[in-house]
mmCIF file of all heavy atoms in Angstrom:
data_model
loop_
_atom_site.group_PDB
_atom_site.id
_atom_site.type_symbol
_atom_site.label_atom_id
_atom_site.label_comp_id
_atom_site.label_asym_id
_atom_site.label_seq_id
_atom_site.Cartn_x
_atom_site.Cartn_y
_atom_site.Cartn_z
ATOM 1 N N THR A 1112 -0.664 11.096 9.733
ATOM 2 C CA THR A 1112 -0.459 11.299 11.175
ATOM 3 C C THR A 1112 -1.662 10.788 11.977
ATOM 4 O O THR A 1112 -1.653 10.846 13.193
ATOM 5 C CB THR A 1112 -0.188 12.784 11.518
ATOM 6 O OG1 THR A 1112 -1.365 13.551 11.228
ATOM 7 C CG2 THR A 1112 0.984 13.324 10.713
ATOM 8 N N ASP A 1113 -2.668 10.287 11.279
ATOM 9 C CA ASP A 1113 -3.813 9.631 11.926
ATOM 10 C C ASP A 1113 -3.382 8.183 12.220
ATOM 11 O O ASP A 1113 -3.366 7.328 11.342
ATOM 12 C CB ASP A 1113 -5.009 9.693 10.969
ATOM 13 C CG ASP A 1113 -6.215 8.880 11.459
ATOM 14 O OD1 ASP A 1113 -6.083 8.094 12.429
ATOM 15 O OD2 ASP A 1113 -7.291 9.031 10.849
ATOM 16 N N ARG A 1114 -2.975 7.926 13.473
ATOM 17 C CA ARG A 1114 -2.383 6.633 13.816
ATOM 18 C C ARG A 1114 -3.367 5.477 13.669
ATOM 19 O O ARG A 1114 -2.981 4.351 13.383
ATOM 20 C CB ARG A 1114 -1.807 6.669 15.243
ATOM 21 C CG ARG A 1114 -0.536 7.523 15.319
ATOM 22 C CD ARG A 1114 0.000 7.628 16.745
ATOM 23 N NE ARG A 1114 0.420 6.354 17.321
ATOM 24 C CZ ARG A 1114 1.607 5.783 17.123
ATOM 25 N NH1 ARG A 1114 2.502 6.381 16.356
ATOM 26 N NH2 ARG A 1114 1.899 4.633 17.688
ATOM 27 N N GLU A 1115 -4.646 5.772 13.873
ATOM 28 C CA GLU A 1115 -5.677 4.730 13.748
ATOM 29 C C GLU A 1115 -5.705 4.168 12.325
ATOM 30 O O GLU A 1115 -5.669 2.959 12.123
ATOM 31 C CB GLU A 1115 -7.065 5.300 14.051
ATOM 32 C CG GLU A 1115 -7.313 5.630 15.493
ATOM 33 C CD GLU A 1115 -7.870 4.447 16.282
ATOM 34 O OE1 GLU A 1115 -8.012 3.336 15.732
ATOM 35 O OE2 GLU A 1115 -8.146 4.666 17.473
ATOM 36 N N ILE A 1116 -5.771 5.058 11.351
ATOM 37 C CA ILE A 1116 -5.900 4.559 9.967
ATOM 38 C C ILE A 1116 -4.583 3.940 9.510
ATOM 39 O O ILE A 1116 -4.581 2.925 8.799
ATOM 40 C CB ILE A 1116 -6.440 5.634 8.986
ATOM 41 C CG1 ILE A 1116 -7.002 4.939 7.730
ATOM 42 C CG2 ILE A 1116 -5.386 6.679 8.618
ATOM 43 C CD1 ILE A 1116 -7.996 5.738 6.953
ATOM 44 N N MET A 1117 -3.450 4.493 9.955
ATOM 45 C CA MET A 1117 -2.158 3.909 9.579
ATOM 46 C C MET A 1117 -1.983 2.511 10.191
ATOM 47 O O MET A 1117 -1.320 1.660 9.595
ATOM 48 C CB MET A 1117 -1.012 4.829 9.994
ATOM 49 C CG MET A 1117 -0.938 6.114 9.174
ATOM 50 S SD MET A 1117 -0.709 5.837 7.393
ATOM 51 C CE MET A 1117 1.069 5.586 7.324
ATOM 52 N N ALA A 1118 -2.605 2.266 11.347
ATOM 53 C CA ALA A 1118 -2.530 0.932 11.958
ATOM 54 C C ALA A 1118 -3.328 -0.086 11.140
ATOM 55 O O ALA A 1118 -3.061 -1.288 11.185
ATOM 56 C CB ALA A 1118 -3.030 0.986 13.392
ATOM 57 N N MET A 1119 -4.320 0.418 10.385
ATOM 58 C CA MET A 1119 -5.132 -0.487 9.564
ATOM 59 C C MET A 1119 -4.359 -1.032 8.363
ATOM 60 O O MET A 1119 -4.745 -2.045 7.786
ATOM 61 C CB MET A 1119 -6.385 0.235 9.036
ATOM 62 C CG MET A 1119 -7.325 0.738 10.096
ATOM 63 S SD MET A 1119 -7.717 -0.530 11.272
ATOM 64 C CE MET A 1119 -9.279 -1.038 10.659
ATOM 65 N N VAL A 1120 -3.273 -0.373 7.978
ATOM 66 C CA VAL A 1120 -2.535 -0.800 6.774
ATOM 67 C C VAL A 1120 -1.945 -2.204 6.949
ATOM 68 O O VAL A 1120 -2.292 -3.112 6.188
ATOM 69 C CB VAL A 1120 -1.465 0.244 6.354
ATOM 70 C CG1 VAL A 1120 -0.648 -0.264 5.186
ATOM 71 C CG2 VAL A 1120 -2.114 1.586 6.024
ATOM 72 N N PRO A 1121 -1.070 -2.439 7.960
ATOM 73 C CA PRO A 1121 -0.525 -3.803 8.100
ATOM 74 C C PRO A 1121 -1.580 -4.841 8.457
ATOM 75 O O PRO A 1121 -1.467 -6.003 8.041
ATOM 76 C CB PRO A 1121 0.517 -3.669 9.222
ATOM 77 C CG PRO A 1121 0.248 -2.371 9.883
ATOM 78 C CD PRO A 1121 -0.454 -1.491 8.906
ATOM 79 N N VAL A 1122 -2.593 -4.444 9.211
ATOM 80 C CA VAL A 1122 -3.650 -5.393 9.577
ATOM 81 C C VAL A 1122 -4.403 -5.852 8.324
ATOM 82 O O VAL A 1122 -4.632 -7.045 8.108
ATOM 83 C CB VAL A 1122 -4.647 -4.750 10.585
ATOM 84 C CG1 VAL A 1122 -5.778 -5.713 10.898
ATOM 85 C CG2 VAL A 1122 -3.940 -4.319 11.857
ATOM 86 N N THR A 1123 -4.755 -4.895 7.472
ATOM 87 C CA THR A 1123 -5.511 -5.228 6.265
ATOM 88 C C THR A 1123 -4.676 -6.081 5.315
ATOM 89 O O THR A 1123 -5.176 -7.054 4.735
ATOM 90 C CB THR A 1123 -5.989 -3.942 5.564
ATOM 91 O OG1 THR A 1123 -6.627 -3.123 6.535
ATOM 92 C CG2 THR A 1123 -6.975 -4.244 4.457
ATOM 93 N N GLU A 1124 -3.388 -5.745 5.174
ATOM 94 C CA GLU A 1124 -2.539 -6.534 4.272
ATOM 95 C C GLU A 1124 -2.367 -7.961 4.780
ATOM 96 O O GLU A 1124 -2.360 -8.909 4.005
ATOM 97 C CB GLU A 1124 -1.210 -5.812 4.025
ATOM 98 C CG GLU A 1124 -1.497 -4.575 3.169
ATOM 99 C CD GLU A 1124 -0.302 -3.864 2.586
ATOM 100 O OE1 GLU A 1124 0.784 -3.955 3.183
ATOM 101 O OE2 GLU A 1124 -0.477 -3.215 1.546
ATOM 102 N N LEU A 1125 -2.286 -8.113 6.092
ATOM 103 C CA LEU A 1125 -2.214 -9.452 6.690
ATOM 104 C C LEU A 1125 -3.491 -10.246 6.366
ATOM 105 O O LEU A 1125 -3.440 -11.386 5.904
ATOM 106 C CB LEU A 1125 -2.025 -9.322 8.209
ATOM 107 C CG LEU A 1125 -2.063 -10.618 9.017
ATOM 108 C CD1 LEU A 1125 -0.915 -11.542 8.637
ATOM 109 C CD2 LEU A 1125 -2.010 -10.322 10.518
ATOM 110 N N LEU A 1126 -4.635 -9.613 6.576
ATOM 111 C CA LEU A 1126 -5.922 -10.285 6.331
ATOM 112 C C LEU A 1126 -6.113 -10.634 4.853
ATOM 113 O O LEU A 1126 -6.788 -11.611 4.516
ATOM 114 C CB LEU A 1126 -7.079 -9.394 6.802
ATOM 115 C CG LEU A 1126 -7.202 -9.264 8.327
ATOM 116 C CD1 LEU A 1126 -8.143 -8.123 8.693
ATOM 117 C CD2 LEU A 1126 -7.694 -10.572 8.937
ATOM 118 N N MET A 1127 -5.492 -9.842 3.971
ATOM 119 C CA MET A 1127 -5.614 -10.071 2.522
ATOM 120 C C MET A 1127 -4.692 -11.177 2.017
ATOM 121 O O MET A 1127 -4.673 -11.475 0.823
ATOM 122 C CB MET A 1127 -5.286 -8.784 1.764
ATOM 123 C CG MET A 1127 -6.319 -7.689 1.933
ATOM 124 S SD MET A 1127 -7.767 -7.997 0.936
ATOM 125 C CE MET A 1127 -7.061 -7.853 -0.696
ATOM 126 N N GLY A 1128 -3.876 -11.743 2.911
ATOM 127 C CA GLY A 1128 -2.964 -12.808 2.489
ATOM 128 C C GLY A 1128 -1.721 -12.288 1.797
ATOM 129 O O GLY A 1128 -1.100 -12.982 0.999
ATOM 130 N N LYS A 1129 -1.350 -11.043 2.116
ATOM 131 C CA LYS A 1129 -0.189 -10.434 1.438
ATOM 132 C C LYS A 1129 1.003 -10.271 2.364
ATOM 133 O O LYS A 1129 1.937 -9.527 2.049
ATOM 134 C CB LYS A 1129 -0.588 -9.060 0.886
ATOM 135 C CG LYS A 1129 -1.585 -9.164 -0.251
ATOM 136 C CD LYS A 1129 -1.951 -7.807 -0.789
ATOM 137 C CE LYS A 1129 -2.858 -7.927 -1.998
ATOM 138 N NZ LYS A 1129 -3.466 -6.648 -2.347
ATOM 139 N N ASP A 1130 0.981 -10.933 3.523
ATOM 140 C CA ASP A 1130 2.053 -10.727 4.503
ATOM 141 C C ASP A 1130 2.578 -12.074 5.000
ATOM 142 O O ASP A 1130 2.186 -12.552 6.070
ATOM 143 C CB ASP A 1130 1.509 -9.860 5.656
ATOM 144 C CG ASP A 1130 2.580 -9.496 6.678
ATOM 145 O OD1 ASP A 1130 3.780 -9.772 6.428
ATOM 146 O OD2 ASP A 1130 2.211 -8.926 7.722
ATOM 147 N N PRO A 1131 3.488 -12.704 4.197
ATOM 148 C CA PRO A 1131 4.005 -14.021 4.569
ATOM 149 C C PRO A 1131 4.615 -14.023 5.970
ATOM 150 O O PRO A 1131 5.324 -13.086 6.334
ATOM 151 C CB PRO A 1131 5.086 -14.291 3.503
ATOM 152 C CG PRO A 1131 4.750 -13.400 2.366
ATOM 153 C CD PRO A 1131 4.071 -12.192 2.942
ATOM 154 N N ASP A 1132 4.316 -15.069 6.722
ATOM 155 C CA ASP A 1132 4.794 -15.231 8.106
ATOM 156 C C ASP A 1132 4.324 -14.112 9.036
ATOM 157 O O ASP A 1132 4.881 -13.927 10.109
ATOM 158 C CB ASP A 1132 6.333 -15.317 8.163
ATOM 159 C CG ASP A 1132 6.872 -16.447 7.292
ATOM 160 O OD1 ASP A 1132 6.252 -17.518 7.285
ATOM 161 O OD2 ASP A 1132 7.888 -16.226 6.603
#
Side-chain angles (χ1 to χ4, degrees):
T1112 66
D1113 173 349
R1114 288 177 63 83
E1115 289 271 3
I1116 200 158
M1117 290 300 278
M1119 299 310 261
V1120 175
V1122 177
T1123 310
E1124 290 191 333
L1125 174 64
L1126 289 167
M1127 291 283 294
K1129 292 181 175 167
D1130 184 8
D1132 303 320

